[in-house]
Amino acid sequence: MPAPERFFCSDAARVRGDSIMGTAPHGTVWVLVEYRGGWPANGFDGLDIEPATKALVFSAAQAVRARVLLVRRHGRLGREQEQPPRWAVLHFDGLGAYRQRWGTWRRDEDLAGIATALGGPGVLGRPPVVLVCTHGRHDTCCAVRGRPVSRALSERWPDLVWECTHVGGDRFAANVVIAPDGVYFGDLDAHSAVTAVREYLAGLVRAEHLRGYTNLFPPQQAAVAAVLRRFGPAGRHDYTVAATSRVADDHWRIRVDGRLPHLSGLCVDVRTFRTPPRQLTCNGPSMSRAVTYEVTSVRAR
């Protein structure tokens, strides 16, 4: 008998036309740990490092709801292999100001500096970090679709781009996250990823591949994406969510303000619904329902 055809969650999501709007996980703090060996399926939690240090990092990260990611440069080899691995703590205040603090580690105990950095102010500004999920041991599509994107972006911006472990939304691979600004892009290939990052660095975000901004909750993310789709690309902070009300269990009304007068006070209606049970990841045998956000209207108040 012929072998069963291999399942790829991102292929299935594209065939179904799964919406990416409102699928960015909420959070404004990031912890990056450079690890050049093989990544365990569960990322940092699976590393064989000193238990007390791991517990300290996790406890400090959980206290501020930080996401902990393993990172590495594309290809793993090169001049940076002669330098000690790095770690970083990235903060975003949700209003446009962000801070970063970087360090190095040679021994497991050196990672304790992450806990200190999570409680400190950090350095204002610095260039953004471009994260590409290539975590193949977590989900096959992340590697199959993520690595070509990582290669293309690394060739253009070698100092900004890192491969990283699971960022959520395997079925939307390739996924790219701009941190600490919290911009999630999905359904990318090498060409569209270069375009998205180039436009972001030029001060523009368009709706086409935008999963959401992580300082917003999913219905708010969908509302901003709908405004961008209707009125065109805009800067990361050109729109703000001014008010959010829940009209019904499945209906949100969100007011979005823009910097331009004619784009201020927009009222966006967002409805939510659950999809039928589906296999949402390559490696997950169970069927799950996904929450989807549909924008029904965008109008001036």
Side-chain angles (χ1 to χ4, degrees):
M1 295 181 62
E5 185 176 351
R6 189 170 184 178
F7 177 80
F8 292 98
C9 65
S10 61
D11 291 349
R14 283 166 169 77
V15 170
R16 292 191 302 261
D18 288 5
S19 172
I20 67 173
M21 287 196 314
T23 61
H26 187 264
T28 57
V29 185
W30 310 80
V31 173
L32 311 180
V33 178
E34 184 177 4
Y35 189 77
R36 297 162 182 167
W39 291 340
N42 55 347
F44 180 78
D45 191 37
L47 291 186
D48 183 19
I49 62 176
E50 198 273 321
T53 301
K54 182 187 291 187
L56 178 65
V57 171
F58 261 129
S59 177
Q62 289 174 349
V64 294
R65 298 185 177 181
R67 190 171 196 121
V68 183
L69 300 174
L70 300 181
V71 298
R72 65 186 173 216
R73 295 297 195 185
H74 177 73
R76 305 191 196 186
L77 301 177
R79 70 182 188 280
E80 293 198 357
Q81 298 298 310
E82 301 174 2
Q83 304 298 322
R86 281 162 283 181
W87 58 260
V89 173
L90 315 176
H91 293 259
F92 173 53
D93 71 354
L95 300 174
Y98 41 89
R99 300 174 182 268
Q100 305 188 27
R101 185 169 174 183
W102 291 75
T104 61
W105 65 290
R106 294 184 183 274
R107 302 172 303 130
D108 294 352
E109 293 81 0
D110 296 337
L111 293 174
I114 292 172
T116 303
L118 282 166
V123 178
L124 276 171
R126 301 184 61 163
V129 176
V130 180
L131 302 168
V132 185
C133 181
T134 59
H135 197 180
R137 291 190 67 182
H138 180 89
D139 191 274
T140 305
C141 284
C142 295
V144 171
R145 292 185 179 271
R147 285 174 183 157
V149 166
S150 174
R151 182 184 309 113
L153 294 179
S154 296
E155 289 173 353
R156 293 290 298 271
W157 300 283
D159 294 333
L160 301 183
V161 179
W162 296 82
E163 296 182 348
C164 71
T165 49
H166 180 58
V167 297
D170 309 348
R171 62 197 165 113
F172 302 121
N175 287 295
V176 170
V177 182
I178 311 290
D181 234 357
V183 182
Y184 259 68
F185 294 108
D187 284 350
L188 294 169
D189 56 22
H191 176 75
S192 59
V194 168
T195 299
V197 172
R198 183 180 66 243
E199 290 182 336
Y200 168 85
L201 294 174
L204 291 177
V205 178
R206 66 176 67 244
E208 183 180 3
H209 292 282
L210 180 64
R211 291 180 56 188
Y213 298 151
T214 65
N215 62 303
L216 303 178
F217 291 99
Q220 298 169 332
Q221 295 174 18
V224 172
V227 171
L228 290 172
R229 180 174 290 110
R230 177 164 176 176
F231 296 104
R236 166 66 173 89
H237 305 290
D238 284 352
Y239 291 106
T240 59
V241 173
T244 301
S245 59
R246 194 163 194 166
V247 180
D249 288 345
D250 64 344
H251 183 187
W252 297 82
R253 183 159 293 149
I254 298 162
R255 197 185 88 200
V256 178
D257 285 344
R259 290 187 175 180
L260 298 177
H262 71 287
L263 296 179
S264 190
L266 298 170
C267 184
V268 184
D269 286 305
V270 180
R271 291 192 176 274
T272 66
F273 63 92
R274 288 189 174 272
T275 66
R278 296 164 173 169
Q279 184 175 342
L280 299 180
T281 67
C282 291
N283 301 327
S286 61
M287 307 293 279
S288 303
R289 294 178 180 270
V291 178
T292 299
Y293 300 89
E294 179 183 357
V295 173
T296 57
S297 71
V298 179
R299 64 188 185 279
R301 286 174 57 86

